[in-house]
Amino acid sequence: MLLKGGKFFIKTYGCAMNYADADKVRTILSSSGASEVSSELDADYVILVSCSVRKKPEDKISGLGIKYLKKKFRGKTVVLTGCMAVRHDRKCDGSLNEAYSQNLSKKLPWIDHVIDIRKIADLPKLLSDANSDKSIAPVSYLEIPQPCSDGVQALIPISTGCDNFCSYCIVPYARGSLINYSFKKVYEEAVRFISGNSDYEDFSFDENKEGLGDRSR
């Protein structure tokens, strides 16, 4: 396991989608041998999952720089992901806005790594020894199982991204082009969760139901 013995702490700002993102980060890191802790001070890796629809979460992330530059936080690896991490170009070809990435690095120099939430399955490799010869099979964002974070509730995204580029909305830029879960995958994910819980709440949601069932994975 790439991160065996490592400890991680996740801090989330935003909506249900961001909390679902955090659950996927939790699944990926736990399956790589790391264990979650309840305090940043006990963690080797601090993962920040942030919304970008409103400015307040971004301001909170910026404000954390004052905290994480203190001596007691030195030596920890800080990672930013979620909607704030990258900006996709309008071409819908997967390319990213490099100017945004450069400005983010200048604004938040205390962050060690920034990773697109769609590539979160690569996080263990990013955090492990760069020279490690261990590899991870490619996994798409929607294929990462959602854990039951509080024992009774699971957030199950059924799509991510959008292609509409409405003038008031940042989703296509923050999340990329629209990708849907297939109906079969949604059903299987819900059954997997329900089968292990006698009392449950299953919340299936997305950012855009347009074309559900098309462009599915």
Side-chain angles (χ1 to χ4, degrees):
M1 291 186 177
L2 288 177
L3 301 177
K4 186 176 182 179
K7 298 177 181 179
F8 68 92
F9 175 83
I10 301 175
K11 199 172 190 69
T12 307
Y13 298 105
C15 68
M17 182 61 81
N18 299 117
Y19 281 91
D21 289 343
D23 281 341
K24 290 188 181 294
V25 172
R26 189 171 285 112
T27 294
I28 287 295
L29 294 182
S30 297
S31 63
S32 296
S35 56
E36 187 172 10
V37 293
S38 58
S39 170
E40 297 140 298
L41 291 174
D42 298 327
D44 301 304
Y45 316 111
V46 177
I47 316 300
L48 305 176
V49 183
S50 178
C51 171
S52 196
V53 174
R54 298 177 180 174
K55 194 170 186 300
K56 188 174 181 180
E58 293 189 347
D59 289 342
K60 287 184 176 181
I61 292 293
S62 298
L64 287 174
I66 299 173
K67 179 179 182 179
Y68 289 145
L69 287 173
K70 292 182 179 179
K71 186 176 181 179
K72 62 182 178 180
F73 286 102
R74 291 176 189 169
K76 301 183 185 303
T77 301
V78 182
V79 179
L80 175 66
T81 189
C83 296
M84 185 179 174
V86 300
R87 287 293 176 270
H88 292 261
D89 282 337
R90 193 161 182 163
K91 302 173 185 177
C92 293
D93 61 357
S95 58
L96 300 178
N97 186 318
E98 294 299 331
Y100 175 84
S101 299
Q102 292 173 6
N103 289 335
L104 193 66
S105 296
K106 292 178 181 178
K107 183 179 178 182
L108 308 173
W110 47 274
I111 288 180
D112 299 292
H113 302 291
V114 178
I115 183 169
D116 186 346
I117 190 62
R118 289 197 176 197
K119 298 180 179 179
I120 202 62
D122 296 334
L123 183 57
K125 180 69 175 178
L126 183 67
L127 295 176
S128 66
D129 182 359
N131 297 318
S132 173
D133 58 0
K134 296 180 180 179
S135 60
I136 301 175
V139 178
S140 73
Y141 171 86
L142 290 175
E143 290 174 331
I144 301 170
Q146 292 293 124
C148 177
S149 56
D150 63 0
V152 296
Q153 185 182 97
L155 298 170
I156 303 176
I158 60 177
S159 77
T160 185
C162 181
D163 295 336
N164 289 336
F165 290 94
C166 299
S167 60
Y168 56 83
C169 184
I170 199 172
V171 168
Y173 300 100
R175 308 290 300 195
S177 58
L178 177 65
I179 299 175
N180 292 316
Y181 245 144
S182 67
F183 289 116
K184 181 181 178 182
K185 286 280 189 180
V186 174
Y187 175 77
E188 290 175 349
E189 188 76 348
V191 169
R192 181 185 66 80
F193 171 65
I194 293 170
S195 64
N197 297 270
S198 57
D199 298 312
Y200 66 88
E201 290 180 321
D202 170 10
F203 291 95
S204 299
F205 65 94
D206 67 355
E207 295 158 318
N208 185 349
K209 292 182 175 61
E210 188 175 281
L212 186 60
D214 305 328
R215 287 175 292 178
S216 56
R217 294 184 180 178

